Amino acid sequence: MLGLLLLASFTLITLDLRGGSALPSGLRNGISGVVGPVQNATVTITRPVGDFFHRMTHDDSATIDRLTRENQALQRQLLTTQDAQRRAAELDAMLKVSSLGQYTLIPARVIAVGAAQGFDFTVEIDAGTKDGITPDMTVLNGQGLVGRVKYVTRDTATVVLLIDPDSGVGVRLEGTGQIGLLSGQGKRPMQLVVQNSGHVLRVGERLVTLGSVNDKPYVPGVPVGQITAVTSVVGSADQVASVEPFVDVTSLDLVGVVVKPPPRDPRDAVLAALPSPSPSASPSASASPSTSSSPSVSQSGSRPSSSGSRS
């Protein structure tokens, strides 16, 4: 039927082009009345299909490209915002350490990681002599001790991390004041050696820096780490323990170089207050130290006692 109608329409067009005006107008109008609706229906059906392929080949490709660019821009903006929030949190934690320990710091960022000039575990920071950095200065962050400055140029400095096998840090046990030597073991837990003076080392005890002569390379009172295992034999001359440092050296970013030591030894003031035991806890449980490995800066804001003499 559709074919016949189309043929009739074609015939009318041909006659008109050849001057066939003698064709009765009634016949012409009748055929047009039949063919017209069919033509309109055909256009109605086929137009969406044509529009779809037109959009697929023209409009949508540009839209997809635009949306892709907008999505990428939003992702970059999100990453930038998250990075800024993380750095702000790191800076806030470091400022708390600085305030509680009364350290004067120069902030810096870690820009490179790797072995350097005879040391296995070092990082490069973006501060140097132009910022007042000199060798043998203490480096810390919001969690605790990072290491010490070894080499300095005008714009950068090399920091030997506390876990380096050639690093040795004098430490003091929280509360008891017992002193010992903490040595780096690379990727293994650090080793603490304490002279056997009657105090028995326990898992969970925390350490801070003892401090060095003239505060170089280490200033006193910086949180260092926590005992995770006691490995010495009972009755031995020295007690030996494994220590997990508070600082994760694999994710260093913002650090602070201590350019001015505290006026006096802060002792344990920078360590976080231990959580209070619950009322249902047994006396033995309440007497044991916290086993949490997260370092934290004390939130109490207490100042060090004037009786805290340096060793």
Side-chain angles (χ1 to χ4, degrees), residues 184-203:
Q185 303 288 314
K187 296 181 179 180
R188 295 178 296 159
M190 301 183 72
Q191 185 180 72
L192 172 67
V193 178
V194 175
Q195 185 178 5
N196 194 343
S197 60
H199 173 74
V200 179
L201 297 177
R202 294 177 299 172
V203 171

Side-chain angles (χ1 to χ4, degrees), residues 250-288:
T250 64
S251 60
L252 291 173
D253 185 14
L254 184 66
V255 298
V257 182
V258 182
V259 294
K260 184 179 180 180
R264 59 176 181 259
D265 188 345
R267 307 283 289 194
D268 303 335
V270 186
L271 286 169
L274 290 171
S276 301
S278 62
S280 60
S282 63
S284 60
S286 63
S288 61

Side-chain angles (χ1 to χ4, degrees), residues 45-282:
I45 295 172
T46 59
R47 180 176 294 159
V49 178
D51 290 345
F52 171 77
F53 284 103
H54 178 75
R55 289 196 302 270
M56 287 295 293
T57 57
H58 295 83
D59 297 344
D60 279 2
S61 61
T63 302
I64 291 172
D65 289 341
R66 177 178 58 81
L67 292 175
T68 300
R69 290 194 300 270
E70 291 177 357
N71 183 53
Q72 291 172 345
L74 289 173
Q75 288 179 341
R76 287 194 297 269
Q77 183 179 357
L78 177 61
L79 290 174
T80 301
T81 302
Q82 292 174 337
D83 189 53
Q85 291 174 344
R86 177 182 56 80
R87 291 180 184 175
E90 290 183 359
L91 179 60
D92 182 63
M94 194 166 67
L95 290 176
K96 289 179 180 177
V97 171
S98 173
S99 176
L100 293 170
Q102 299 184 3
Y103 310 118
T104 301
L105 304 178
I106 292 294
R109 289 191 61 195
V110 173
I111 56 176
V113 178
Q117 301 183 19
F119 296 94
D120 295 330
F121 296 88
T122 65
V123 295
E124 200 84 4
I125 60 175
D126 63 352
T129 55
K130 66 179 176 59
D131 305 294
I133 310 299
T134 61
D136 292 329
M137 284 184 168
T138 305
V139 182
L140 52 79
N141 68 4
Q143 284 67 53
L145 183 66
V146 172
R148 69 187 193 276
V149 176
K150 185 63 179 178
Y151 308 111
V152 187
T153 68
R154 181 183 180 278
D155 300 305
T156 64
T158 300
V159 177
V160 178
L161 301 177
L162 76 164
I163 66 169
D164 190 272
D166 287 331
S167 287
V169 184
V171 294
R172 187 189 300 276
L173 271 68
E174 176 186 13
T176 66
Q178 180 74 40
I179 63 175
L181 179 64
L182 187 64
S183 301
Q185 303 288 314
K187 296 181 179 180
R188 295 178 296 159
M190 301 183 72
Q191 185 180 72
L192 172 67
V193 178
V194 175
Q195 185 178 5
N196 194 343
S197 60
H199 173 74
V200 179
L201 297 177
R202 294 177 299 172
V203 171
E205 288 189 284
R206 301 183 296 179
L207 316 172
V208 299
T209 53
L210 175 65
S212 307
V213 177
N214 297 323
D215 300 301
K216 292 189 175 184
Y218 299 112
V219 296
V222 181
V224 179
Q226 189 172 40
I227 295 176
T228 56
V230 178
T231 58
S232 58
V233 178
V234 176
S236 60
D238 293 324
Q239 295 186 76
V240 182
S242 297
V243 172
E244 185 70 22
F246 288 142
V247 172
D248 181 4
V249 298
T250 64
S251 60
L252 291 173
D253 185 14
L254 184 66
V255 298
V257 182
V258 182
V259 294
K260 184 179 180 180
R264 59 176 181 259
D265 188 345
R267 307 283 289 194
D268 303 335
V270 186
L271 286 169
L274 290 171
S276 301
S278 62
S280 60
S282 63

